Every structure is written in C-alpha cells, then in structure tokens.
C-alpha cells in the first residue's frame, strides 16, 4: 500500500485474484530449485564492480551487510533445519551478493522491521535493506532506493468465519490492525477513515491480534497477507480484492549511494534473462496456486 507516489515506470501487477481459498495451500518452497537458481546467477566483471563506489566497498569488505527479515513466508523465511533464508526477497538479495562477491552466501544478516529500516541505513549498519520495502516520498528523503523490483496493493484480512466484512468498504467502526511505521495508517485514513485503527510494531503482532479476536480486521500490504494465507492454517481469509494505489517495493540504500544505479542495472539483467520470473515462480507462484507470473516492474 502506498501514499500516492509518482513512479511512472511501475507497471507490474500481481496476477493474483482475491479469493483466500486459492492461497490457503501451505505448499513448501522447492529449496533445491531455489538454491540452484541462486547458484546460477551472474557474476559481475571487475570493471563493473569498479564502476560503483557502493559495490567496490562491499567487494573490498568481502561481505554484504544485509538488512532483512526472516519471518516472511513468501519473501524471506529462515529454514531452521539448514539455517538458510529463502523467498523472493532473499533470492534477489543473494543474487546481488553473488553478483558482487561471486558467492550468494557471503552476506551478514541484520534483522529489521518497519520501524528500523531507515535507521540501520542512516547509521551505516547495513549496505542495503531488502524487506518488502515500499518506496514513498517520505522515506526517499532519508535514504535512496533501487528498483522497484515488485509491486503490490493493500488488502484486508479477517478471520475465516467473519461474514460482515467483505471489503475495505465495511471497516467503518471496526477495530482494524495495521503496522506502525508502514504505509498502513495512511491508506486506512484515505480509504477507511472511520475505522478504529490499532497500530502494532510487527506483522506477526498484528496477525496475532486478529487471530485472538482483539481486532476484527488487519489491513496491510496484500502480499504480506498472502504470506499468512500461504501457511495454510485456514483460520483467516482475504476480504475483497486488493485496493489502493500500486505499491512499488524498492531496495533501501544509504542516501545518495550510487548503488541504486548498480542494482538497477543488475535487476534489468535478471528481468531480461528470465531469472526474475523463475524466482517468482519458485518463491510465490508455486506456493500460492498462481500459474501466471506477473510482468516484472520497469526499472528506471
């Protein structure tokens, strides 16, 4: 979900439909296919690395400092059996790591949430943030963004037995959870101004509040809600279709970094050679029952 943001090149749209039942499958990620795709990613030439101060610093350090999450089922989830993080965001982050360092595993992970993403970049604690991170004008005043690499919209999640909330049009007077520091509060103010909004620090806290009946709905990024449904618990469902402005996801970088141009060039390669589509299919498509991959976003 996003505040209105002028980004003319954002064209991708998810090929999802709004039916919750379609996504409540809980299909596991094909780890072998994921690992093989990352291992086959391109490696930049020395000249390409040297063209970017941002990439040269990482190359010299021998490690990419990554700010991300490890609890997002479709985008970045820790596999406790092998200690590896996989998903759509994780895959792109590891492909960038491989592009710079020749090995997708050479990254140092720092856990971030919606309230800390800008600060870890400002404090030079990480080189980039990859965390379903919406590009907004307010954030772009503090940091730089590469991408977009994905687009989404807002969605409404309710308990599976809820028959009164059919869409965001039914939220007036209802207790509605969203994430503090995200674009959720702004989109609720715009599209459901009479909702009784309760802000939570994390996606999991908001989701738990819905499951425990402390709120009647949870409004956030539609893709995050698909994450919840992909777990296959069957206790929640989507209410209505995605709504609001198209939400471009970007890769957070230090303000003024030339890493934005470097990563954008890399993303164009992935979109052109089909890697973006293959990663989407492994990480999201096969796990949500969607057989048609969306068109990747246009990269500036």
């Amino acid at each position: 979900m996003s505040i209105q943001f002028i980004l003319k090149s954002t064209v991708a749209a998810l090929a999802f439909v709004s039916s919750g039942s379609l996504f409540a499958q809980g299909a596991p990620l094909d780890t072998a296919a994921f690992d093989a795709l990352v291992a086959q990613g391109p490696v930049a030439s020395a000249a390409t690395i040297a063209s970017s101060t941002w990439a040269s610093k990482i190359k010299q350090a021998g490690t990419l400092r990554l700010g991300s999450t490890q609890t997002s089922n479709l985008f970045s989830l820790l596999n406790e059996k092998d200690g590896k993080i996989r998903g759509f965001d994780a895959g792109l982050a590891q492909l960038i790591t491989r592009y710079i360092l020749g090995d997708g595993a050479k990254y140092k992970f720092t856990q971030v949430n919606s309230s800390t993403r800008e600060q870890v970049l400002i404090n030079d604690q990480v080189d980039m943030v990859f965390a379903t991170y919406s590009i907004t004008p307010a954030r772009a005043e503090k940091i730089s963004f590469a991408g977009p690499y994905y687009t989404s919209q807002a969605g409404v999640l309710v308990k599976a037995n809820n028959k009164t909330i059919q869409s965001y049009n039914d939220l007036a007077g209802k207790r509605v959870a969203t994430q503090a520091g995200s674009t959720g509060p702004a989109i609720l103010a715009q599209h459901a101004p009479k909702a009784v909004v309760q802000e939570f620090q994390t996606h999991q806290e908001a989701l738990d509040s819905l499951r425990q009946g402390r709120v009647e709905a949870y409004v956030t990024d539609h893709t995050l809600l698909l994450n919840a449904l992909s777990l296959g618990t069957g206790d929640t469902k989507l209410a209505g279709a995605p709504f609001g402005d198209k939400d471009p996801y970007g890769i957070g970088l230090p303000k003024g970094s030339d890493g934005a141009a470097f990563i954008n060039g890399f993303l164009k390669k992935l979109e052109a050679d089909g890697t973006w589509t293959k990663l989407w299919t492994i990480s999201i498509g096969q796990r949500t029952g969607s057989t048609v991959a969306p068109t990747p976003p246009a990269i500036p």
Side-chain angles (χ1 to χ4, degrees), residues 4 8 15 39 61-63 70 84 158 173 177 182 189 193 200 223 235 244 273:
Q4 184 63 37
K8 296 180 180 178
T63 302
Q70 54 185 6
K84 296 183 178 180
V158 298
S182 75
F200 295 85
T223 306
D235 57 348
D273 68 11

Side-chain angles (χ1 to χ4, degrees), residues 3 5 13 39 45 47 65 84 108 115-116 119 131 137 147 152 159 164 178 205 216 224 249 253 258 272 284:
I3 302 168
F5 182 54
S45 66
R65 299 173 302 161
K84 296 183 178 180
K108 179 182 178 183
S115 298
T116 64
Q119 203 58 46
S152 186
K159 296 187 76 169
T164 61
T178 192
E205 289 173 0
E216 295 158 277
L224 287 180
Y249 290 178
L253 296 163
D258 66 358
I284 300 175

Side-chain angles (χ1 to χ4, degrees), residues 15-267:
F16 300 138
V17 296
S18 60
S19 168
S21 62
L22 177 62
F23 302 105
Q25 298 180 4
L29 184 144
D30 185 339
T31 57
F34 178 94
D35 293 346
L37 186 65
V38 172
Q40 295 166 7
V43 177
S45 66
T48 300
I49 297 293
S51 69
S52 167
T53 301
W54 178 82
S56 295
K57 179 182 175 183
I58 294 168
K59 184 73 172 182
Q60 185 174 10
T63 302
L64 188 152
R65 299 173 302 161
L66 171 66
S68 190
T69 66
Q70 54 185 6
T71 57
S72 175
N73 192 41
L74 297 177
F75 280 76
S76 186
L77 182 68
L78 174 65
N79 183 326
E80 295 184 349
K81 292 182 178 178
D82 61 16
K84 296 183 178 180
I85 300 174
R86 299 182 180 88
F88 191 73
D89 278 6
L92 287 176
Q94 290 166 30
L95 283 164
I96 292 172
T97 303
R98 174 175 167 78
Y99 190 56
I100 298 172
L101 297 170
D103 183 346
K106 289 186 174 181
Y107 66 90
K108 179 182 178 183
F109 178 85
T110 295
Q111 177 76 43
V112 299
N113 59 43
S114 58
S115 298
T116 64
R117 291 179 293 196
E118 286 90 72
Q119 203 58 46
V120 294
L121 289 166
I122 293 170
N123 293 344
D124 191 30
Q125 294 172 257
V126 301
D127 298 308
M128 69 179 188
V129 170
F130 230 123
T132 54
Y133 201 1
S134 299
I135 301 172
T136 70
R139 289 172 180 160
E141 291 180 358
K142 301 177 182 177
I143 64 169
S144 293
F145 281 104
Y149 67 92
Y150 200 83
T151 57
S152 186
Q153 287 179 280
V156 181
L157 193 72
V158 298
K159 296 187 76 169
N161 60 358
N162 188 313
K163 297 180 180 179
T164 61
I165 299 176
Q166 301 295 322
S167 75
Y168 69 92
N169 292 314
D170 300 321
L171 297 179
K174 301 293 194 301
R175 290 171 284 116
V176 181
T178 192
Q179 287 188 71
S182 75
T183 51
I187 201 166
L188 279 166
Q190 180 181 357
H191 294 277
K194 295 183 180 180
V196 181
V197 178
Q198 296 184 23
E199 297 186 19
F200 295 85
Q201 288 299 315
T202 68
H203 169 69
Q204 192 60 50
E205 289 173 0
L207 192 58
D208 288 345
S209 73
L210 174 65
R211 287 174 169 155
Q212 294 164 4
R214 290 183 283 138
V215 297
E216 295 158 277
Y218 173 28
V219 170
T220 191
D221 186 290
H222 184 252
T223 306
L224 287 180
L225 300 183
L226 289 176
N227 264 303
L229 292 176
S230 71
L231 296 173
T233 56
D235 57 348
T236 58
K237 65 179 181 181
L238 289 169
F243 67 99
D245 298 326
K246 295 286 177 61
D247 182 11
Y249 290 178
I251 302 159
L253 296 163
K255 185 68 174 177
S257 170
D258 66 358
F262 181 86
I263 292 176
N264 283 346
F266 175 66
L267 291 174

